[in-house]
Amino acid sequence: MPQELHGVLQVGKERYGIVVSRFNDFITSRLLDGALDCLRRHGAVDEQITIMWVPGSFEVPLAARRLAGSGKFAAVICLAAVIRGQTDHYDYVCQQITRGVGEAGLATGVPVLFGVITTDSLDGAIDRAGAKGGNQGFKSAAAAIEMVHVFDQLNEMK
Ligand code: INI
């Protein structure tokens, strides 16, 4: 039988970093609530969680890279909202945060999760910050817990 590694949603003693953008904070604060709810429901206490606020999506990758590279966190959850109607440079901001968040994970080997909403409209953002589309913050925190757990299993393999 091949060995399969599956992460389960169970927090141990590890610490989680959260980077959250102040831009569109009426949306990102809901994403943060969702992420905290998820971490706490699965066993985290507040001492295991560090939240770093940054001005906007453009700054998220650098903050994520610093947190992930610090060696203090098992995973870093990135929360932001880019809404097309609000900016002429929507595509550039989306590109920066998408590529940068991915690179932060690849460069450090630490799971860096993409809890970022990119939508055409404010309504679309609201849907994915706790309304019809669920809460992207909760989902990305769940993915963080799963990745930490599956990597723990890899580390424990003989
Ligand atoms: N930042 C966001 O997080 N979302 C946006 O929709 C957005 N818009 O629309 O421009 C945005 N801009 C700010 C940007 O991320 C930087 O903080 C700013 O340019 C300073 O570097």
Side-chain angles (χ1 to χ4, degrees):
M1 284 279 280
Q3 187 170 19
E4 291 188 31
L5 305 179
H6 293 277
V8 300
L9 294 184
Q10 194 179 311
V11 174
K13 293 192 184 318
E14 70 276 7
R15 294 202 284 188
Y16 290 83
I18 302 177
V19 181
V20 54
S21 160
R22 264 200 322 274
F23 202 101
N24 290 327
D25 66 351
F26 54 98
I27 296 291
T28 62
S29 59
R30 294 185 194 189
L31 299 178
L32 179 59
D33 289 344
L36 292 173
D37 183 31
C38 178
L39 292 172
R40 289 173 180 143
R41 273 176 199 250
H42 294 100
V45 295
D46 286 357
E47 289 67 30
Q48 288 170 270
I49 305 169
T50 299
I51 301 163
M52 180 183 280
W53 287 89
V54 297
S57 290
F58 197 84
E59 288 72 38
V60 167
L62 180 59
R65 176 75 178 77
R66 290 287 289 270
L67 286 180
S70 71
K72 294 181 167 69
F73 302 100
V76 176
I77 300 157
C78 298
L79 305 175
V82 196
I83 302 172
R84 188 185 287 276
Q86 292 179 342
T87 177
D88 290 339
H89 52 267
Y90 172 89
D91 292 323
Y92 301 112
V93 176
C94 286
Q95 264 171 30
Q96 159 77 358
I97 191 164
T98 307
R99 187 178 42 86
V101 166
E103 279 178 1
L106 293 174
T108 57
V110 170
V112 178
L113 287 300
F114 192 72
V116 178
I117 292 176
T118 57
T119 56
D120 286 340
S121 67
L122 181 57
D123 283 350
I126 291 168
D127 281 350
R128 294 164 62 198
K132 280 187 282 192
N135 184 309
Q136 185 67 23
F138 190 104
K139 291 178 190 173
S140 58
I145 298 168
E146 180 179 338
M147 289 300 289
V148 170
H149 197 257
V150 79
F151 282 177
D152 280 351
Q153 290 181 36
L154 179 64
N155 292 337
E156 284 162 14
M157 266 178 77
K158 298 265 182 309

